[in-house]
Amino acid sequence: MKTLFASDRKFALWSFNASHRQLILRSNPDRIARTVTRVEVYFGHVEFMSVRPSYSSLRISEADQGEITEIAARIPDGLRPGGTYLLGRDLRSFVISAKPAWREAECDFDAPSLFDFPA
């Protein structure tokens, strides 16, 4: 299992656009945790997901073949194309999608997403 991203910050499921199959997990600035930046993790071409509404920390890793086989057995229509990415240390939370990307920047709470692509 190869770790792609890890953070001890709190993350929340911020948005999912079904028509574009895009998922964003966000960690906003937090005065108590003394963070001043926003971090967003973007998953494009989402084929299937099993995610929680929030995470006290976030670790994204590529699933190995054994984990992929176990996840595929739980998906009603079988495994779809795309990478399988675990969100944590177990198989309860995962996304099947293109490879995730992340960005971090200082911005206001109500500023557009760091992945807000102009039309």
Side-chain angles (χ1 to χ4, degrees):
M1 170 177 355
K2 177 183 172 188
T3 300
L4 302 175
F5 175 86
S7 174
D8 290 332
R9 294 175 59 149
K10 294 178 184 176
F11 280 80
L13 191 162
W14 194 257
S15 69
F16 178 69
N17 184 321
S19 62
H20 293 289
R21 299 176 12 223
Q22 299 170 328
L23 167 68
I24 293 180
L25 303 176
R26 179 184 283 183
S27 176
N28 279 309
D30 184 338
R31 289 184 185 170
I32 296 170
R34 297 182 182 185
T35 58
V36 296
T37 58
R38 175 195 297 170
V39 179
E40 290 183 357
V41 180
Y42 168 86
F43 295 86
H45 304 285
V46 174
E47 291 293 333
F48 193 91
M49 62 182 178
S50 174
V51 296
R52 297 186 307 209
S54 64
Y55 298 86
S56 58
S57 63
L58 186 63
R59 179 175 176 257
I60 302 172
S61 57
E62 292 180 289
D64 63 31
Q65 192 55 50
E67 293 164 332
I68 291 170
T69 300
E70 191 173 332
I71 288 169
R74 297 185 347 214
I75 298 175
D77 296 330
L79 200 59
R80 296 169 176 87
T84 303
Y85 303 98
L86 305 178
L87 307 179
R89 299 191 183 276
D90 58 35
L91 302 181
R92 290 182 290 175
S93 190
F94 62 90
V95 179
I96 299 172
S97 68
K99 192 169 187 173
W102 49 90
R103 294 180 179 169
E104 181 172 5
E106 287 189 30
C107 54
D108 292 330
F109 183 85
D110 58 350
S113 169
L114 301 176
F115 290 95
D116 191 17
F117 306 111

